[in-house]
Amino acid sequence: MASMDGTVVLVTGAASGLGQAVAAGLAREGALVVAVGRSAARAEEAVEGIRRLVPAALLEPLACDLSVQSSIRTAAAEFLSRHDRLDVLVNAAGVFRKERHVTPDGLELTFATNVMAYFLLTNVLLGALKNAAAAGGKSGTAERPAGAARTSRIVNIASRYGNTKLNFDDLQTAKGRYSYLRSTPPTMLARVLLTQEFAERLQGSGVVANAVHPGLVKNTSLLHDVGGPFRWVTNTFGVPAEKAVDTALWLATSTETAGVSGKLWAKRKELPTPGMGSDPDARQRLWNACSRLAGLP
């Protein structure tokens, strides 16, 4: 990985699992890591957990309930009050829920956290990402080392989505019987589509966006609520988070990936995005739906 000295990164889901492993990896390379947790206590736990892995880490906690849009806007405002630039944004938080829950915004919780949070947080931080790209080799008063990345990066943790399709008449799984097997896979497709749309809209800005399929990651809190055979398979055949984050860290730091955007990756190889994942009309329709739900133009 290229040195990240003098860079500012923000990682959601940093209190545990994949998010914490990404945050630790970036901190180990010298980045200032803003670690996002669901509450102030969880954000502090994230910082403490990362520091146990990387004692010399440069860290800032940031509280944000990613299922609530007002919390996202407040957290973004707090970040921007301290930093005018953002070199890397890693959207790693996510949920699986056994039962259907509704957020204070009136949104289904899985869709709100897995899709709307990625969409809204990235949008409200775009100015900082563009500022970092425009600054080129400098971060604040510090010169980046030779060979360091000259682009800003958005890295979205997603998944292979199989034959999943988005039902635009029921994006929030309000109809029929709710289950995480119905609600969650479409959110992974949605992340890929939004990544593609961000990449398209950010052409020429110096900001690139890519999605990552980390595979099965064992012993995380992600599947605590659903349990059952899926959790057993994941914990039995999955890999540790520290190994699963290799491609995400590569996308966030490598000079090889500085000019790559709008792709889905696994094990440092590009994956195909079949079906709706290759449909520009679907990603535009999803973008418009998210814009309406977030109150964005």
Side-chain angles (χ1 to χ4, degrees):
M1 289 189 290
S3 172
M4 297 293 285
D5 289 351
T7 61
V8 179
V9 309
L10 186 148
V11 182
T12 69
S16 63
L18 206 67
Q20 186 170 92
V22 169
L26 293 172
R28 196 170 285 117
E29 297 304 311
L32 167 61
V33 177
V34 180
V36 178
R38 185 174 61 252
S39 63
R42 286 290 283 170
E44 289 291 349
E45 286 176 21
V47 165
E48 292 169 5
I50 297 163
R51 187 156 282 128
R52 282 193 292 270
L53 299 170
V54 188
L58 300 173
L59 301 167
E60 289 181 6
L62 182 63
C64 180
D65 183 340
L66 291 162
S67 70
V68 180
Q69 292 183 16
S70 61
S71 183
I72 292 172
R73 294 179 189 276
T74 298
E78 182 178 340
F79 172 85
L80 294 172
S81 73
R82 299 196 299 259
H83 305 283
D84 65 354
R85 57 175 293 143
L86 177 60
D87 296 271
V88 179
L89 169 62
V90 182
N91 289 303
V95 296
F96 280 72
R97 285 292 179 263
K98 192 172 184 179
E99 305 292 338
R100 191 176 194 274
H101 299 278
V102 176
T103 73
D105 300 309
L107 303 178
E108 188 272 318
L109 181 65
T110 300
F111 181 80
T113 308
N114 290 2
V115 180
M116 290 302 300
Y118 280 53
F119 173 81
L120 181 57
L121 183 62
T122 304
N123 266 294
V124 295
L125 293 177
L126 277 183
L129 286 159
K130 292 177 180 178
N131 286 347
K138 294 184 178 180
S139 180
T141 59
E143 186 78 20
R144 286 196 202 175
R150 295 299 194 267
T151 53
S152 300
R153 322 287 182 100
I154 300 165
V155 180
N156 291 330
I157 303 302
S159 177
R160 282 193 175 113
Y161 50 84
N163 295 320
T164 300
K165 296 180 180 179
L166 291 180
N167 179 356
F168 285 102
D169 294 323
D170 190 24
L171 284 174
Q172 300 182 55
T173 327
K175 301 174 182 177
R177 182 177 178 273
Y178 180 89
S179 75
Y180 70 87
L181 292 175
R182 284 189 62 217
S183 66
T184 307
T187 67
M188 298 299 107
L189 169 58
R191 289 178 179 181
V192 172
L193 290 171
L194 288 176
T195 300
Q196 294 170 344
E197 188 65 17
F198 272 114
E200 180 73 20
R201 289 168 179 260
L202 290 168
Q203 284 187 29
S205 70
V207 183
V208 298
N210 288 282
V212 183
H213 167 64
L216 296 176
V217 184
K218 63 167 55 176
N219 299 326
T220 74
S221 61
L222 183 63
L223 301 177
H224 178 76
D225 188 50
V226 298
F230 186 33
R231 185 180 180 187
W232 180 86
V233 168
T234 300
N235 289 341
T236 302
F237 298 104
V239 300
E242 295 73 21
K243 182 176 181 180
V245 297
D246 174 72
T247 301
L249 292 174
W250 175 68
L251 287 168
T253 64
S254 175
T255 54
E256 296 176 64
T257 57
V260 178
S261 196
K263 309 297 184 182
L264 174 63
W265 299 85
K267 297 181 179 179
R268 300 195 182 190
K269 296 184 183 299
E270 184 183 343
L271 295 179
T273 55
M276 196 174 277
S278 295
D279 184 354
D281 291 335
R283 73 176 191 239
Q284 181 67 58
R285 192 173 178 186
L286 176 63
W287 181 279
N288 291 341
C290 291
S291 295
R292 288 192 298 272
L293 291 170
L296 296 181

